[in-house]
Amino acid sequence: MIEEGSKSSKSMVEKRQLFMEMRAQNFDVIRLSTYRTACKLRFVQKRCNLHLVDVWNMIEAFRDNGLSTLDHNAEINVSRLETILSSIFYQLNKRLPTTHQINVEQSIGLLLNFIVATYDSEGHGKLTVFAMKAMLATMCGGKILDKLRYIFSQISDSNGVMVYAKFDQFLREVLKLPTAVFEGPSFGYTEHSVRTCFPQQKKILLNTFLDVLMADPPPQYLVWLPLMHRLANVENVFHPVECSYCRSESMMGFRYRCQQCHGYQLCQSCFWRGHASGPHSNQHQMKEHSSWKSPAKKLSHAISKSLGCMPIGEPPHPVFPEAAERPQDLAHTTQLRPVANNMNDTVLISSGTPTPSKSSTLESPSRLDEEHRLIARYAARLAAEASNSTQRQLIAELENKNREILQEIQRLRLEHEQASQPTPEKAQQNPTLLAELRLLRHRKDELERRMSALQESRRELMVQLEGLMRLLKDEEQKQASQTGSSPHSSPSHSASCTMPMPIRSTSAGSTPTHTPQDCLAGVGDDVLDAFSQGVPRNLRNDLLVAADSITNTMSSLVKELHSVDDGLEDEEENMRNGREKVSSLKHPGKRQSTPSF
């Protein structure tokens, strides 16, 4: 009992898994029911890996599992449905490269639960063959033209004319898909659905059927079907245009341009959610673009169109012959039972020669060889389509990576330009600090000029001191020689002989004289005392003391200059810290470069 309970609970979880994942995508914020329904069914298609299987693969799987011999109203149980799905996905894995293999068991489980929840809500455990064919043909990948051709073959008679009752049955089954994704109120089946699609009572052939369902706009009840295919085609389309609402510099998917507001364009996310800004309103008519054309291409296209170099309107689909094509009978390749001669589950082969009946095929060896060649050609086409799909997928991945790299390069370029361009805010962050910095620079310049002048004065003083030293030395030698020759010389005569030669004063505009006091003006008190004393002194020591005094004065001046430089550096550091704080307050999380003054 415990094991049965755990299995049932696990089964319930698996049934709800796909719907829980779909709710997590938050598709309900899309305001338009058509886009909301198409997005939900596209999500189911991709989650179950049905987008990798086209309608030709479905036809092959139906034939291989013997569904071609069954009536549309025949019922199959869930176990046989699981067998059919297993055949579809295992054959898909054989066509895919090893690097792109899918989880077959998970895909089978998700799709089986979705089909049962859609077509067996009452829990009978059975569903009709037509319901399964209609669902898988609608939800598989491939071109919408191939899907509609196959669907028409299921709802038409042997003469190629659509049967209204079968089309009504098709609508009943296919409109259960929007109901399964909770969009039944918008696209639920009604008794008037057939008359809405084909209002006039007339004979509907293949081309008319395709014209109606592929028109712009298509019938209201099936408007989500072509939109789902357009969504698949524009998932990797890049538009280098800025969204007028969210300001995103590029768009992926659809692009919407307002027909009233000039230059107003929205990305698909903003348009689906009903966002608008400025004079634009949600009531304005919008044009949907599924590709990007440069202005040069638009101009050349307009010129070619105006000159008649290209057709103005192209048909939405190729025109097919009105007579119904006879199906190619491939029954002998898989089974020996006869196959009903109808248009069910057939591969349409464009051949000009009519296909013979089964009896003539079995009797003629040349016909057997021709059919084998056709089968080989079809198998080669399937292999080529598989390889092409792989290449397209790789190309799409590389294009996505290239777009990401280009967006990153553009972002880095913009950041570099913003950082390199000075702004008025940077220059006007703190005028008080700027004024103090200018005063400090002015004071530093004055001190540097004063120091240069003092250094020049010191050099001149040293030159004068050296001259005085030479004079003193010569005078002492003269005094020594005179003392030895005439010891009775008078002191006044000696004092008059010690008068130094005139030297240039450091004062600006002063005129040199022959007096020692004038010659030593601005030198120092020690030197002046040495020349003003009447008694001879040791003038060498006095001059050395004066030189030391000058050197000490210069050292104190140098220290003062160093202290001013240190204060200037501290003020500059405070200035930088202040600018960084202001920048961090204005732009949190972003570090700006500090302007240099």
Side-chain angles (χ1 to χ4, degrees):
M1 293 294 294
I2 297 176
E3 293 180 357
E4 292 180 357
S6 61
K7 289 182 180 179
S8 61
S9 61
K10 182 179 180 181
S11 176
M12 291 296 294
V13 171
E14 292 178 351
K15 288 181 181 179
R16 296 177 181 177
Q17 179 182 355
L18 183 62
F19 295 100
M20 292 172 63
E21 292 179 1
M22 184 178 65
R23 288 181 183 275
Q25 299 296 320
N26 200 19
F27 292 121
D28 292 330
V29 299
I30 302 175
R31 66 186 182 97
L32 300 177
S33 59
T34 304
Y35 289 95
R36 192 167 58 243
T37 304
C39 288
K40 290 181 178 180
L41 292 178
R42 174 62 177 169
F43 172 78
V44 173
Q45 182 190 52
K46 294 181 67 177
R47 189 66 182 85
C48 297
N49 290 316
L50 279 176
H51 66 295
L52 302 176
V53 185
D54 60 12
V55 68
W56 304 106
N57 303 132
M58 289 295 179
I59 295 174
E60 184 180 8
F62 296 159
R63 190 194 67 227
D64 292 342
N65 287 274
L67 298 181
S68 302
T69 59
L70 297 178
D71 187 77
H72 283 171
N73 295 323
E75 293 183 343
I76 59 175
N77 54 22
V78 177
S79 61
R80 186 170 183 184
L81 175 61
E82 186 176 2
T83 303
I84 297 171
L85 298 181
S86 300
S87 173
I88 293 172
F89 287 112
Y90 278 112
Q91 290 296 327
L92 172 62
N93 250 2
K94 290 181 181 179
R95 295 190 297 269
L96 294 176
T98 55
T99 56
H100 293 77
Q101 296 288 304
I102 65 171
N103 190 339
V104 175
E105 298 297 332
Q106 185 182 24
S107 301
I108 294 172
L110 291 174
L111 184 56
L112 180 64
N113 291 326
F114 180 74
I115 295 176
V116 171
T118 304
Y119 294 98
D120 188 26
S121 58
E122 298 179 358
H124 297 303
K126 294 182 179 180
L127 68 157
T128 63
V129 173
F130 185 75
M132 186 196 65
K133 289 182 178 180
M135 184 271 172
L136 292 177
T138 305
M139 292 297 294
C140 69
K143 299 179 180 179
I144 187 174
L145 179 63
D146 297 335
K147 289 185 181 183
L148 295 178
R149 290 182 64 194
Y150 173 73
I151 291 171
F152 185 81
S153 70
Q154 302 298 299
I155 61 175
S156 60
D157 57 14
S158 58
N159 296 322
V161 180
M162 188 190 76
V163 180
Y164 277 89
K166 290 186 177 180
F167 180 70
D168 182 75
Q169 185 181 3
F170 167 74
L171 285 181
R172 287 177 184 269
E173 303 300 340
V174 78
L175 290 180
K176 291 180 181 178
L177 293 172
T179 304
V181 294
F182 315 106
E183 297 297 333
S186 301
F187 300 103
Y189 173 80
T190 62
E191 296 179 355
H192 307 286
S193 300
V194 177
R195 297 307 172 193
T196 304
C197 297
F198 300 99
Q200 299 179 0
Q201 290 277 359
K202 63 179 182 179
K203 185 171 65 174
I204 304 299
L205 300 177
L206 175 60
N207 291 319
T208 307
F209 179 80
L210 296 177
D211 289 339
V212 172
L213 294 187
M214 298 183 67
D216 187 16
Q220 179 62 30
Y221 288 92
L222 296 175
V223 67
W224 51 268
L225 181 58
L227 179 58
M228 186 175 68
H229 287 78
R230 295 206 308 272
L231 281 174
N233 294 331
V234 301
E235 284 181 349
N236 297 320
V237 175
F238 176 76
H239 305 269
V241 183
E242 182 183 14
C243 178
S244 299
Y245 182 84
C246 67
R247 300 301 177 184
S248 176
E249 297 181 356
S250 59
M251 303 181 190
M252 293 293 293
F254 286 121
R255 174 171 55 91
Y256 297 89
R257 182 165 55 87
C258 182
Q259 300 299 296
Q260 299 183 24
C261 304
H262 177 70
Y264 194 90
Q265 302 189 81
L266 293 176
C267 62
Q268 67 177 19
S269 178
C270 294
F271 176 74
W272 290 352
R273 286 158 175 79
H275 294 162
S277 60
H280 178 71
S281 172
N282 291 329
Q283 304 301 322
H284 292 179
Q285 184 179 1
M286 303 290 287
K287 186 175 181 181
E288 183 181 90
H289 295 271
S290 58
S291 61
W292 164 255
K293 291 183 180 179
S294 62
K297 289 185 178 180
K298 290 181 181 179
L299 179 61
S300 62
H301 181 80
I303 294 175
S304 301
K305 189 175 181 179
S306 62
L307 295 177
C309 300
M310 57 183 302
I312 298 177
E314 297 181 357
H317 62 83
V319 180
F320 298 97
E322 297 295 339
E325 296 183 8
R326 299 187 62 185
Q328 180 67 44
D329 188 1
L330 302 179
H332 66 279
T333 61
T334 57
Q335 55 186 1
L336 297 178
R337 292 178 298 176
V339 180
N341 187 13
N342 54 25
M343 295 192 67
N344 296 341
D345 311 327
T346 58
V347 178
L348 301 178
I349 302 176
S350 57
S351 176
T353 59
T355 304
S357 62
K358 182 180 178 181
S359 59
S360 62
T361 302
L362 295 176
E363 292 174 0
S364 175
S366 62
R367 287 297 183 185
L368 287 174
D369 294 339
E370 181 180 356
E371 288 189 359
H372 284 303
R373 287 195 296 271
L374 290 174
I375 294 170
R377 187 183 305 170
Y378 176 62
R381 189 182 70 177
L382 290 177
E385 289 179 356
S387 62
N388 291 335
S389 63
T390 304
Q391 293 176 359
R392 286 194 296 269
Q393 187 174 2
L394 292 175
I395 291 173
E397 293 177 357
L398 292 175
E399 288 178 350
N400 290 334
K401 188 174 182 180
N402 185 32
R403 281 192 290 270
E404 292 176 359
I405 294 174
L406 291 177
Q407 292 176 0
E408 184 67 17
I409 292 174
Q410 183 67 17
R411 185 183 64 82
L412 293 175
R413 184 181 291 113
L414 291 176
E415 290 183 356
H416 177 70
E417 292 177 356
Q418 292 176 358
S420 60
Q421 292 179 357
T423 60
E425 295 179 357
K426 294 181 180 179
Q428 299 177 0
Q429 286 181 354
N430 197 332
T432 305
L433 292 176
L434 293 177
E436 293 180 357
L437 184 60
R438 284 193 292 268
L439 290 175
L440 289 173
R441 286 186 172 276
H442 182 67
R443 182 182 177 188
K444 180 182 178 181
D445 294 338
E446 291 181 352
L447 291 175
E448 287 178 350
R449 289 193 296 270
R450 180 182 174 188
M451 182 175 179
S452 300
L454 290 175
Q455 287 178 349
E456 182 66 22
S457 300
R458 180 188 179 189
R459 185 182 65 80
E460 293 179 357
L461 287 173
M462 293 301 295
V463 171
Q464 294 175 5
L465 288 173
E466 289 179 358
L468 289 174
M469 292 295 293
R470 287 195 297 271
L471 290 175
L472 289 174
K473 185 176 180 181
D474 294 340
E475 191 66 25
E476 288 178 354
Q477 292 177 355
K478 290 180 182 179
Q479 288 180 358
S481 60
Q482 289 177 3
T483 304
S485 59
S486 58
H488 299 284
S489 298
S490 63
S492 59
H493 179 73
S494 300
S496 62
C497 294
T498 60
M499 183 180 298
M501 294 179 66
I503 56 176
R504 186 173 59 88
S505 174
T506 59
S507 302
S510 61
T511 302
T513 60
H514 295 282
T515 61
Q517 287 80 4
D518 294 338
C519 295
L520 296 177
V523 175
D525 296 334
D526 294 335
V527 178
L528 293 175
D529 292 339
F531 285 97
S532 62
Q533 296 290 334
V535 183
R537 298 177 53 187
N538 191 353
L539 295 180
R540 182 188 302 271
N541 295 334
D542 293 336
L543 290 175
L544 291 176
V545 171
D548 290 339
S549 176
I550 294 173
T551 303
N552 293 333
T553 304
M554 294 300 298
S555 299
S556 62
L557 181 59
V558 170
K559 290 180 181 180
E560 183 178 359
L561 285 174
H562 284 313
S563 63
V564 171
D565 290 337
D566 294 338
L568 184 61
E569 291 177 356
D570 293 338
E571 291 294 336
E572 291 179 349
E573 182 67 23
N574 294 333
M575 184 69 179
R576 285 193 294 269
N577 294 334
R579 287 196 298 271
E580 290 177 356
K581 289 181 180 179
V582 172
S583 175
S584 62
L585 290 175
K586 289 187 177 181
H587 304 284
K590 182 175 180 182
R591 186 174 181 181
Q592 298 182 351
S593 60
T594 304
S596 59
F597 294 89

